[in-house]
Amino acid sequence: MANTSIFAALPLTNFEIPSLLFHRRVRAKNTSIISFPETHFLRQSISTGIVRSSAPRETGSVSCSSITDEASTFKDRPVGENGYPEELQVRTLTWNWKGYSIRYQCAGISGPALVLVHGFGANSDHWRKNTPILGKSHRVYSIDLIGYGYSDKPNPREFGGKPFYTFETWGEQLNDFCLDVVKDEAFFICNSIGGLVGLQAAVSKPEICRGLMLLNISLRMLHIKKQPLIGRPFIKSFQNLLRNTPVGKLFFKTIAKPETVKSILCQCYHDSSQVTDELVEAILRPGLEPGAVDVFLEFICYSGGPLPEDLLPQVKCPVLIAWGEKDPWEPIELGRAYSKFDAVEEFVVLPEAGHCPQDEKPEMVNPLIASFVARHSNSNTAALAPDI
């Protein structure tokens, strides 16, 4: 059994791990392995280009080569805060969605629109190594899903017993964000649980999503369909204990500490040196805001809703699945099964990467995103009409 995290779900089962803490037929499918030279990309100081080898499609490969120095490329352009050129500045804004305040970050002023979707327990800061770099040639938006990050966290009990923190809610939020803020079709780039959000949005309003890139999508091992019949009553009882008694909040209090969060992240990341104090702070601080504990408990008790295998057959846009081969919680051997769906045009292996490759290995992920988007972009695509 794969290692599991207390942030992922309940004990005694093979649970999914959150990102942090927290029918188009294609001619053929690729299973690719990305190999990159060692380049320091912590602050994205190197501009890279994608090079695809001429290997057979079944065993294709992707490599990344340094092509220019960032400083020389932008030396004649206006420089803003943090030393980035103005077009690479990441702006933090809020959007009013159904009366709730939603935080998002954005960069870039031209090119295809990308919406980056975080996983359970994370927020848009988890894309801090991707947003400014992708903003060089794309309009990039990273959003805090409602209940996470610095977006509002309405109490789930306010909805009369009807589940609120579901993939349907987040999928609707994602589509409305494209209509209201992006005002265009978009590519959804998603990690872990965020992959279910992107899939749900793409199925609900296929006219909005131009393509989906799924990074270590959650397998949802906590789902009731994936539990043995004999264990389901126990799991339900334990979920009720967490949600409806002080035990749940005590449980949250014991794990919402810097040392615990860091320990969990060190399991999640193959390269533990990437688990910095900055990263721990980015995850923990919004998790201590009022209402965060109720969202946390509500979601780990969410055993229903769609599975990836339920949604993928309904997707009309192209899908690329990329997987950190060292993910200890969502094993790549299980992930490969998703390459069989018609919409999935390629399954890419990310060597030496864990569950959150966009943060651990941005030097691999950023060029892969750019390559995927370039293959499926059409300069004649018009902006969405507001009445879609």
Side-chain angles (χ1 to χ4, degrees):
M1 180 187 297
N3 293 333
T4 57
S5 161
I6 54 179
F7 276 98
L10 311 175
L12 304 182
T13 66
N14 183 19
F15 298 112
E16 70 195 17
I17 299 304
S19 315
L20 260 240
L21 281 168
F22 244 155
H23 281 323
R24 176 185 302 182
R25 168 71 66 177
V26 296
R27 292 184 180 180
K29 303 186 190 334
N30 284 346
T31 298
S32 304
I33 298 179
I34 293 187
S35 59
F36 292 92
E38 290 297 325
T39 56
H40 179 64
F41 229 72
L42 181 61
R43 289 299 178 188
Q44 312 300 334
S45 60
I46 301 295
S47 177
T48 59
I50 288 289
V51 180
R52 289 184 175 271
S53 75
S54 57
R57 290 180 63 84
E58 293 77 10
T59 59
S61 64
V62 180
S63 63
C64 174
S65 59
S66 172
I67 59 175
T68 186
D69 181 86
E70 194 81 35
S72 62
T73 303
F74 295 105
K75 64 181 179 181
D76 297 324
R77 303 189 189 183
V79 175
E81 297 177 2
N82 302 323
Y84 282 123
E86 287 182 354
E87 64 265 46
L88 301 191
Q89 292 301 300
V90 177
R91 304 177 297 281
T92 300
L93 302 168
T94 58
W95 164 55
N96 186 298
W97 182 60
K98 298 186 175 184
Y100 300 112
S101 177
I102 303 298
R103 180 185 78 145
Y104 68 96
Q105 302 182 61
C106 56
I109 57 176
S110 63
L114 315 181
V115 181
L116 314 182
V117 188
H118 64 79
F120 173 60
N123 58 77
S124 58
D125 290 331
H126 204 201
W127 300 95
R128 69 198 186 283
K129 300 178 184 177
N130 318 101
T131 304
I133 295 305
L134 293 170
K136 290 188 296 183
S137 53
H138 308 82
R139 289 169 292 140
V140 185
Y141 303 83
S142 54
I143 187 171
D144 287 3
L145 297 173
I146 190 166
Y148 295 108
Y150 295 97
S151 290
D152 281 349
K153 301 169 179 62
N155 192 316
R157 298 180 186 275
E158 296 175 358
F159 299 90
K162 181 180 179 180
F164 178 72
Y165 293 105
T166 66
F167 296 114
E168 289 79 10
T169 297
W170 290 315
E172 182 182 5
Q173 178 190 352
L174 192 56
N175 282 330
D176 287 349
F177 181 77
C178 290
L179 292 171
D180 295 348
V181 178
V182 181
K183 298 184 185 302
D184 200 356
E185 299 171 339
F187 291 88
F188 298 157
I189 314 299
C190 315
N191 177 228
S192 191
I193 285 295
L196 273 297
V197 177
L199 283 171
Q200 182 66 62
V203 168
S204 299
K205 286 188 178 294
E207 67 272 22
I208 291 178
C209 184
R210 300 179 67 181
L212 268 167
M213 185 166 166
L214 308 175
L215 300 167
N216 292 64
I217 187 171
S218 169
L219 302 175
R220 298 211 65 204
M221 299 307 293
L222 177 61
H223 198 284
I224 195 67
K225 292 181 181 178
K226 296 189 175 182
Q227 304 306 314
L229 288 174
I230 193 171
R232 293 179 186 179
F234 167 76
I235 293 169
K236 199 67 177 177
S237 296
F238 191 77
Q239 289 174 328
N240 289 333
L241 179 69
L242 287 178
R243 184 191 286 130
N244 301 317
T245 73
V247 171
K249 292 188 177 181
L250 179 62
F251 170 62
F252 181 82
K253 185 177 179 180
T254 62
I255 58 178
K257 299 177 180 179
E259 58 272 19
T260 307
V261 172
K262 184 171 185 177
S263 175
I264 293 169
L265 290 171
C266 284
Q267 297 176 41
C268 177
Y269 284 54
H270 177 64
D271 180 3
S272 60
S273 71
Q274 297 298 317
V275 181
T276 62
D277 291 341
E278 175 193 10
L279 175 61
V280 172
E281 175 77 1
I283 299 305
L284 181 59
R285 176 173 288 188
L288 298 177
E289 288 201 331
V293 59
D294 297 302
V295 178
F296 172 81
L297 294 174
E298 185 73 10
F299 187 77
I300 66 172
C301 296
Y302 177 38
S303 296
L307 292 163
E309 51 265 41
D310 298 329
L311 294 173
L312 275 167
Q314 305 176 58
V315 172
K316 307 300 182 187
C317 65
V319 177
L320 185 150
I321 298 177
W323 216 280
E325 68 170 348
K326 301 295 185 179
D327 189 337
W329 295 320
E330 307 283 14
I332 192 171
E333 292 77 14
L334 298 179
R336 289 182 191 276
Y338 292 104
S339 65
K340 68 182 180 182
F341 292 97
D342 288 351
V344 180
E345 63 178 27
E346 192 171 10
F347 185 94
V348 178
V349 178
L350 303 173
E352 303 302 311
H355 187 66
C356 309
Q358 80 277 9
D359 188 61
E360 186 179 1
K361 295 287 186 179
E363 70 273 19
M364 294 183 180
V365 173
N366 287 336
L368 186 63
I369 294 172
S371 175
F372 174 68
V373 171
R375 290 202 304 275
H376 298 288
S377 292
N378 183 340
S379 58
N380 297 321
T381 300
L384 287 176
D387 59 347
I388 284 182

